Amino acid sequence: MSSATVTATKPETIVKALKPWKVIVLNDDFNTFQHVANCLIKYIPHMHPDRAWKLTQQVHSEGRAIVWVGPLEQAELYHEQLSREGLTMAPLEQA
């Protein structure tokens, strides 16, 4: 017979993990349109080039664009990957 260890998780921790999070790219003066669009295509799943270009234009014209919304763990990964490429990122926000 095997015994399983069950760890209690606080309800607020579960809710926080399940709520969607926004990955937001901010405008800056040093990343080119092409670099931003390429990064979105490379790291954001199912990102079509036309959508990447529209988001890049939104970053430029509005100062920011939500480029992905979903679970916290994935949001953290995409945020980190885009940051490592030099994109200026807003802190993750709950949707």
Side-chain angles (χ1 to χ4, degrees), residues 9-21 70-72 94-95:
T9 304
K10 294 180 181 180
E12 62 269 13
T13 302
I14 293 170
V15 170
K16 186 176 182 180
L18 295 178
K19 286 189 176 182
W21 289 78
L72 178 59
Q94 281 192 317

Side-chain angles (χ1 to χ4, degrees), residues 12 23 26-29 34 36 53 63 80:
E12 62 269 13
V23 177
L26 301 175
N27 190 36
D28 58 41
D29 293 331
Q34 192 64 55
V36 173
W53 192 252
E80 180 182 328

Side-chain angles (χ1 to χ4, degrees), residues 31 35 39 42-43 76-89:
N31 282 299
H35 179 66
C39 289
K42 182 176 180 179
Y43 293 110
E76 289 173 331
L77 173 64
Y78 304 146
H79 186 276
E80 180 182 328
Q81 290 172 324
L82 295 171
S83 280
R84 272 192 272 130
E85 290 286 348
L87 272 58
T88 303
M89 305 298 295

Side-chain angles (χ1 to χ4, degrees), residues 46-81:
H46 313 293
M47 180 63 68
H48 189 274
D50 289 341
R51 176 86 174 124
W53 192 252
K54 286 178 185 175
L55 288 169
T56 301
Q57 290 174 325
Q58 182 181 357
V59 169
H60 177 72
S61 64
E62 298 177 24
R64 60 188 275 150
I66 299 168
V67 298
W68 189 84
V69 177
L72 178 59
E73 190 172 322
Q74 287 174 277
E76 289 173 331
L77 173 64
Y78 304 146
H79 186 276
E80 180 182 328
Q81 290 172 324

